[in-house]
Amino acid sequence: EEVDADESSDDEDRTNSYRSSGGASASGGVTYDTSLAALHSYLGDVEDTHNRLAFLDGGAVLNVPLFYLEGVVLFPEATLPLRVIQPNFIASVERALRQVDAPYTIGVIRVYKDPSSGRVKLATTGTTAEIRQYRHLEDGSVNVVTRGQQRFRLKRRWVDVEGSPWAEIQIVKEDLPLRTPKEAVGRSAPLSIFRSGVHIQIPPINHSRADQYGFGNENDSDAMSEESFESELSPTERRLHQSALISSDMLDDSMSSDDENIEQQFRIQPGRSPFDNFRRSFGTGKNQEADGVRLAVGKSSAPTHNTWKKHSLNQFREVPRAFWPSWVYQMYDSYSLAQRAAGRWKQIVRAPSMDSYVKKPDLLSFHIASKMPVSESTRQELLEIDGVSYRLRREIELLESFDCVRCRSCETLIARRSNMLVMSSEGPLGAYVNPHGFVHEIMTLFKANGLVVIGTPVKEYSWFPGYAWSIAVCATCETQLGWLFTATKRKLKPRSFWGIRSSQLADDTR
């Protein structure tokens, strides 16, 4: 990159100043084009493979070349650059370009050292990666740009006659995003609540409990049909659900005059679930009361006009026709969770509109997981979660609790969540490869503490065009945590920022 003459001579002085201050500032705005980092131009001119493989069926079993990487967790839709130097892995790339079953496809899995035994282990869940671009270099090495495709389970692995690692994998069958059924949020009342001499007094939804989980005022007009919802239930759950869908054709219209004179008398106690209420309320006793659902069996339980005067018609109308209260369904509503996760993500990284992702909760869950600036072990945990709603719930928990960035070795506080800086169009965390073939996932920060910069800035092979890099180590334990990037052009802002390796972050980021 072209360097202003009056700035290049100040590199050493600027580095010395960072040794003592340990911080960089992003004040004055950002003029850097964040799309440049996502291009991985440091790899040189790479050729497009012009090959896009259709997604494989869930449960499919196939053999692919296996790349095991330390400190890297690949997610679907995430970009992974590779500089392949070792001959056995070069042979793996060549085989991947020619294979028939899954052309241009490799398997990527995380390798790590067990902290208890010190032994090297491989994760059991990885991601297939499609080779999008590649380039053969004069020294025989290969530069490759891949993109994550689908999760897989590792069944077995081996080394072929050429020394290339291979694996038998099974593609994970992803579930469909769930919606709250209309019956859970509708205001139609189970007005015909007298059957077989049984009188049930059903309380309205406990809105305070719903608000506690953030689902109090939401209504999904595009809820899935009753049939599709029931198909996800077990036979026992389906019978209970159908038993709770009570018709509304037996209430006399003359009772409406008493609606406004009745106050709410029953509430669901938070200590028990609606399932317990339903099960216990249909017991064998003459008079039973279970968490606000009162059951009276006997001659006196026959409906009378006086009995109806004790109840508010509006109270019945607020009772959902579905078995569970609406807030229970919405705790697992993928679209509602996606809205919450996107809102949290925008607060942290100040991302642009994510409306397109909210409409695709499965892709949103992978997008946030691949860019979330947490430790690699936590991100591996997210990769292994089956179920869109469960993954989103865990991500929301992490986004709400994540604040401190600490050194993995000595627990020294390096930065806080508010110090993050987005220097790539792909987010505050991305994967980059160095000339020696090591892939690093780094988060970018405009301010950091407790770091010492070693050496003068180097402009060659910079991951961020227009910036020179210097090695940054922890001032306490001297572990290399990342790099300091300083601008080589006068008008480039921020003037400097930090890139911290996710593999060197403490597991507990609370």
Side-chain angles (χ1 to χ4, degrees), residues 25-32 421 423 467 491-496:
S25 175
S27 59
V30 175
T31 61
Y32 176 72
L421 177 68
M423 290 298 292
Y467 286 87
K491 296 182 180 180
L492 200 58
K493 295 182 179 181
R495 299 302 305 156
S496 63

Side-chain angles (χ1 to χ4, degrees), residues 269 272 276-278 280-281 288-295:
Q269 297 180 6
R272 295 188 180 275
D276 291 332
N277 298 336
F278 185 87
R280 295 180 59 193
S281 63
Q288 299 184 22
E289 181 171 354
D291 299 332
V293 181
R294 190 168 61 193
L295 177 65

Side-chain angles (χ1 to χ4, degrees), residues 46 52 55-56 62 78 106-107 115 117 139 143 183 187 208 216 362 377 423 469:
V46 288
R52 298 296 179 266
F55 278 82
L56 300 170
L62 66 154
I106 60 175
S117 63
D139 59 0
N143 287 343
E183 289 77 6
R187 297 181 63 82
S208 62
D362 49 346
S377 59
M423 290 298 292
W469 55 271

Side-chain angles (χ1 to χ4, degrees), residues 192-200 243 246 250 281-283 285-286 295-303:
S192 178
I193 60 174
F194 300 96
R195 292 183 177 180
S196 304
V198 177
H199 175 204
I200 307 174
S243 299
I246 309 174
M250 294 182 62
S281 63
F282 283 88
K286 292 183 178 181
L295 177 65
V297 182
K299 296 180 181 180
S300 61
S301 62

Side-chain angles (χ1 to χ4, degrees), residues 368-390:
I368 293 180
S370 66
K371 306 303 176 188
M372 188 179 295
V374 293
S375 65
E376 60 171 301
S377 59
T378 301
R379 297 174 67 241
Q380 179 67 39
E381 171 197 340
L382 294 174
L383 182 66
E384 295 177 355
I385 294 177
D386 293 327
V388 178
S389 60
Y390 292 100

